[in-house]
DNA sequence: TCGCTCATGTAATGGGTTACATGATTCA
DNA sequence: TGAATCATGTAACCCATTACATGAGCGA
């Protein structure tokens, strides 16, 4: 799958591995990410498969860059993938839910701590979608104004991110309220006889 | 991570690999899943690490089963994990969003097809949370009524699943409406939630 | 001086999927 | 008769993470 994000970014313009990692973080980062290592190995594989080619761009006061460009074959492969209909739903793995599911029901305090930390994290994530992501999109567009029509699609995925975080936060509040209510209705051992 | 789902299920009662796969599908299936192969290899590793032990239960008219049971060490390891606070947010990878992000803006028809298929899939998923998941929980509880207090936590994760699917569906409708409007005034099939 | 950004990669390991291999019983 | 359920596993492969290795320039 990372293959297609890399092909997708290269379909906009030629890029180095470093560029790809950078723009991936700013654009698809909230629904797909990868480490730099993975990007470099993916690019190497794409070149071996003939879907991209590369050349070295010497840097004057910066390190040399290996810049990759889509080949015709690469562009065709990407279009073929775009046209294929996605019919499988991948499970969104979430270790917080695993923890909650298998928690000891009597350890309400521990659970509440976990959930409150998540509230902070998901708020930060929502902030990022509202501030950083639009900024990154603008930065990209100022380099390539011809991608303006694509920005509408980017915006749809950003809307998804915002809605997702809002739902997560609402659910967290609900869960916290529920557990708090349970907790206070259960007196501690000291009061029992 | 699968390690902890397996430990979690074994903390309820001793089980075979087949059992674990079965109950995982019915319980944590919507936020974590695994193939049978993976379950068997995970169990083997748990036994090698001394976190579980196993014995063969001969089957009379069915195949023999290798039943695993948590060791003290396994129970301690699981508790340690439960107490550790989850502070990293894992990115929920979604190839549909990748496709949407990198789509050709002029191919509105292709996009609409993709999105409409997703509506069907996510409706099915929502149905599953509303019908199959509660049934599976009941089935498990009828075997082990003492897990009744845990069922409240299971229910919280189910609520998460329902909310997630509803948000996804709302977002899909929004995206479809948006693209239809852009595309001009071509009437299409209905898609009500 | 410390940390960040720029810039490239290899090696080892771990996690997960697919294919392969086997075989009885039950139900439509 | 054919599919589903029950039940176990190995081998090969692919994908992803972490650690390792290098090194210049810039701003606080």
């Amino acid at each position: 799958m990372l293959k297609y994000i890399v092909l997708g970014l290269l379909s906009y313009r030629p890029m180095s591995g470093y560029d790809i990692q950078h723009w991936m973080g700013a654009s698809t980062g909230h629904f797909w990410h990868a480490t730099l290592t993975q990007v470099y190995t993916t690019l190497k594989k794409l070149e071996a498969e003939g879907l991209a080619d590369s050349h070295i761009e010497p840097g004057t006061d910066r390190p040399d860059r290996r810049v990759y460009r889509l080949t015709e074959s690469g562009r065709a492969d990407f279009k073929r993938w775009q046209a294929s209909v996605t019919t499988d739903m991948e499970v969104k793995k979430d270790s917080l839910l695993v923890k909650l599911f298998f928690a000891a029901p009597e350890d309400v305090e521990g659970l509440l701590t976990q959930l409150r930390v998540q509230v902070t994290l998901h708020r930060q994530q929502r902030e990022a979608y509202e501030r950083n992501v639009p900024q990154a999109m603008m930065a990209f567009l100022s380099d390539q104004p011809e991608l303006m029509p694509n920005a509408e699609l980017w915006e749809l995925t950003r809307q998804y991110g915002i809605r997702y975080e809002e739902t997560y936060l609402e659910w967290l509040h609900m869960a916290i309220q529920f557990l708090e209510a349970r907790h206070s209705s259960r007196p501690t051992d000291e009061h029992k006889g």
Side-chain angles (χ1 to χ4, degrees), chain A:
Chain A
M1 256 312 299
L2 175 58
K3 174 183 170 180
Y4 291 108
I5 292 142
V6 172
L7 288 178
L9 282 168
L10 290 180
S11 81
Y12 292 159
R13 63 159 107 129
M15 285 188 193
S16 72
Y18 194 85
D19 289 341
I20 286 169
Q21 157 76 357
H22 176 78
W23 288 113
M24 189 163 49
S27 58
T28 69
H30 60 289
F31 54 89
W32 212 288
H33 72 108
T35 58
L36 244 186
T37 302
Q38 220 186 321
V39 172
Y40 285 126
T41 52
T42 301
L43 281 168
K44 199 161 233 186
K45 220 165 38 176
L46 289 181
E47 192 166 28
E49 289 172 34
L51 304 179
D53 55 22
S54 73
H55 65 278
I56 300 283
E57 257 184 25
T60 48
D61 57 341
R62 313 186 152 199
D64 295 353
R65 298 149 36 84
R66 178 176 291 274
V67 176
Y68 288 84
R69 189 181 38 180
L70 273 199
T71 60
E72 272 314 298
S73 168
R75 204 167 285 274
D77 194 86
F78 184 66
K79 275 189 188 155
R80 215 175 301 126
W81 174 72
Q82 273 288 344
S84 72
V85 178
T86 305
T87 54
D88 54 316
M89 282 215 295
E90 43 236 282
V91 172
K92 310 283 185 313
K93 298 187 170 182
D94 191 322
S95 58
L96 190 264
L97 293 177
V98 177
K99 229 175 226 178
L100 179 61
F101 190 96
F102 289 114
E106 64 275 10
D107 180 24
V108 180
E109 276 311 322
L111 277 174
L112 284 171
T113 303
Q114 299 275 354
L115 294 175
R116 286 184 190 128
V117 169
Q118 292 294 314
V119 170
T120 309
L121 292 172
H122 283 276
R123 276 200 193 132
Q124 281 164 8
Q125 195 57 55
R126 191 188 47 188
E127 295 295 295
Y129 296 158
E130 269 158 14
R131 266 204 275 278
N132 311 358
V133 175
Q135 259 173 35
M137 287 178 180
M138 289 304 171
F140 204 95
L141 281 179
S142 74
D143 278 2
Q144 284 189 271
E146 72 272 20
L147 291 176
M148 199 60 215
N150 296 71
E152 284 178 351
L153 302 179
W154 305 347
E155 175 62 13
L156 285 178
T157 66
R158 191 182 75 97
Q159 285 295 326
Y160 170 85
I162 290 173
R163 281 162 185 251
Y164 172 76
E165 290 306 331
E166 251 150 34
T167 301
Y168 210 113
L169 283 166
E170 279 166 24
W171 174 78
L172 281 170
H173 292 318
M174 183 274 283
I176 287 168
Q177 274 197 324
F178 174 81
L179 290 172
E180 278 173 352
R182 287 240 73 224
H183 190 39
S184 56
S185 65
R186 263 190 201 180
T188 52
D189 296 340
E190 292 164 30
H191 303 294
K192 293 195 256 180

